[in-house]
Amino acid sequence: MNMSQNHQETALPRCPGCEEPLEQGDLFCGACGYDLSAAPAPAPDRPTVALVTPGPAPAAAAPSGVRHDGPDAADDFEPAAPGAAAPDPRTVREPAPAAAAGGKVCVACRAGRVDGDGYCENCGHAQPRERDHMEQELGAVAAVSDRGLRHHRNEDSFAVSTTALPDGSAAVVAIVCDGVSSASRPDEASAAAASTASECLLESLPRGTHPQQAMHEAIVAASESVNRLAQQPGQERDQHRHQNAPACTLVGAVVANGLLVVGWIGDSRVYWVPEDRSAAPARLTEDDSWAAQMVATGLMNEAEAYADERAHAITGWLGADAYELEPHTASFKPDRPGLVVVCTDGLWNYAESAAEMAAAVPEDAYRRPLHGAQVLVGHALDGGGHDNVTVALLPFAVSPQGAGSA
């Protein structure tokens, strides 16, 4: 899809929170409830985009076939200045006393009660969706997903689970997916991929399938589930979005039998942070992206590539319009306890290197993974929250006889 297909800007002003058109004199956005009286100047967005052209592009040429979400999609990524983070328009922490006894309070007028359909009975404004912020903890794994401060909905999804291997030992699973923002129904794509991959792993691991093979099969199954969305009748709720096939990225981790297995397609990542912070952290995945391709071919160094406006164009994804599916998997055998960080670029944009990610992970995250995930999401929001943010944390324990690496 070329640049000429981007939808045109309308003459109406748009909400800073969700970009819906506003009427003259509106005090709150009718779509998301954003308080327009305190609206900050809009900042450039950083959606996930897909590069349809499979081969490396010349360093000085604009890539053809790049999916864009709008005229600002290729703007340089700039974290907010210290002390100038945008206000979070999604929730009101303290309900108005007059309506507190009557149920959930409207985030717009702060006085009306919210009805069963999600609208305020006083001012009629739609309320934030439950998917805007999600948390889950299963003891050995925890995950948090947040809409961020600039997107109008959360297009990320995750699935965390535990199961038992044939020998009775535990296996822990985390899957994180990032919907491609320029595609149709990216939120549905990420949800379908995450749930399908998790279900596939929960079926194959107890049967004795090697975790690395199980991860490969799970990514293939997730791809098929996203492909099926394209075959369904159009369900697109956003009429401004182009009708590209639903698409998303996927990254996952399995901790089982002293092994750490990762699998991915796209630019979501896995990091390793040893519990002993004097040991070196590591990034365990390589992006399917324009920037990674430039580095791999020697056309740019890493700093140059990731500073380029095309850096986040992805070259691999799940979806009916993707090229031949090539899931990546890798298996590791850590020789010490540590923390596995599975995340979308909404987090690693603010902690890109392994050292930066390790510095952002709180010291007690190995023992308190949910708290650690909450802190990491907060780190991204404090940095500007330009994208949806999702992170799962899996503590990795080493048995006394376990040593060495593979």
Side-chain angles (χ1 to χ4, degrees):
M1 182 167 293
N2 58 43
M3 294 288 287
S4 65
Q5 291 175 292
N6 287 333
H7 57 268
Q8 299 297 313
E9 293 290 323
T10 66
L12 293 174
R14 291 183 177 274
C15 171
C18 68
E19 298 185 356
E20 288 298 313
L22 301 170
E23 297 294 338
Q24 189 67 31
D26 278 354
L27 297 179
F28 299 93
C29 173
C32 71
Y34 195 97
D35 184 351
L36 300 173
S37 65
D45 198 5
R46 176 56 71 183
T48 301
V49 294
L51 179 63
V52 176
T53 305
S64 61
V66 176
R67 285 179 171 174
H68 287 281
D69 215 14
D72 295 328
D75 285 353
D76 288 339
F77 174 80
E78 296 181 359
D88 186 345
R90 298 160 301 164
T91 57
V92 176
R93 299 300 182 189
E94 298 296 332
K104 187 176 179 181
V105 179
C106 173
V107 302
C109 69
R110 297 170 172 80
R113 187 176 68 86
V114 178
D115 64 22
D117 293 326
Y119 290 87
C120 175
E121 294 180 345
N122 179 49
C123 67
H125 283 82
Q127 304 301 295
R129 290 156 287 219
E130 289 186 8
R131 186 165 168 175
D132 284 353
H133 186 88
M134 302 178 290
E135 298 185 359
Q136 187 176 0
E137 183 178 37
L138 294 176
V141 59
V144 177
S145 182
D146 192 274
R147 178 170 64 86
L149 304 180
R150 299 300 182 188
H151 273 264
H152 72 284
R153 65 180 175 186
N154 190 357
E155 296 167 355
D156 288 357
S157 190
F158 69 81
V160 294
S161 53
T162 60
T163 189
L165 300 178
D167 64 1
S169 63
V172 184
V173 174
I175 302 293
V176 167
C177 296
D178 184 353
V180 175
S181 294
S182 58
S184 298
R185 294 143 58 200
D187 53 336
E188 295 179 33
S190 64
S195 63
T196 299
S198 180
E199 291 168 5
C200 185
L201 286 163
L202 292 180
E203 291 177 2
S204 59
L205 290 171
R207 294 198 307 261
T209 305
H210 189 281
Q212 191 166 357
Q213 177 63 28
M215 178 64 76
H216 178 94
E217 294 172 358
I219 296 175
V220 172
S223 175
E224 293 171 351
S225 72
V226 177
N227 291 350
R228 285 193 292 272
L229 292 176
Q231 301 166 6
Q232 298 174 1
Q235 301 173 14
E236 181 59 53
R237 296 180 292 273
D238 186 349
Q239 298 185 6
H240 297 291
R241 192 180 297 276
H242 299 304
Q243 297 301 307
N244 297 328
C248 69
T249 69
L250 181 148
V251 66
V254 174
V255 172
N257 253 347
L259 290 178
L260 167 57
V261 171
V262 300
W264 74 98
I265 184 163
D267 64 348
S268 293
R269 295 179 175 180
V270 178
Y271 292 83
W272 167 253
V273 179
E275 186 183 19
D276 177 2
R277 295 304 179 89
S278 66
R283 195 178 102 198
L284 305 183
T285 58
E286 294 294 335
D287 300 343
D288 289 319
S289 70
W290 182 92
Q293 201 169 65
M294 292 299 100
V295 175
T297 55
L299 295 175
M300 287 184 175
N301 63 39
E302 189 165 335
E304 293 170 337
Y306 281 97
D308 193 282
E309 64 183 15
R310 297 161 290 184
H312 286 255
I314 58 174
T315 57
W317 64 93
L318 305 180
D321 61 354
Y323 285 90
E324 183 178 357
L325 180 66
E326 296 182 2
H328 312 289
T329 63
S331 182
F332 304 89
K333 192 172 184 180
D335 62 355
R336 66 194 66 206
L339 194 69
V340 183
V341 181
V342 185
C343 65
T344 62
D345 62 345
L347 171 60
W348 67 252
N349 277 329
Y350 301 96
E352 188 168 321
S353 70
E356 290 171 328
M357 184 61 72
V361 173
E363 292 288 340
D364 63 351
Y366 181 85
R367 298 180 301 278
R368 302 173 62 199
L370 178 59
H371 174 257
Q374 293 167 337
V375 170
L376 288 173
V377 168
H379 177 78
L381 298 181
D382 289 344
H386 286 225
D387 201 354
N388 306 144
V389 189
T390 302
V391 57
L393 298 184
L394 300 83
F396 183 96
V398 174
S399 58
Q401 68 271 21
S405 60

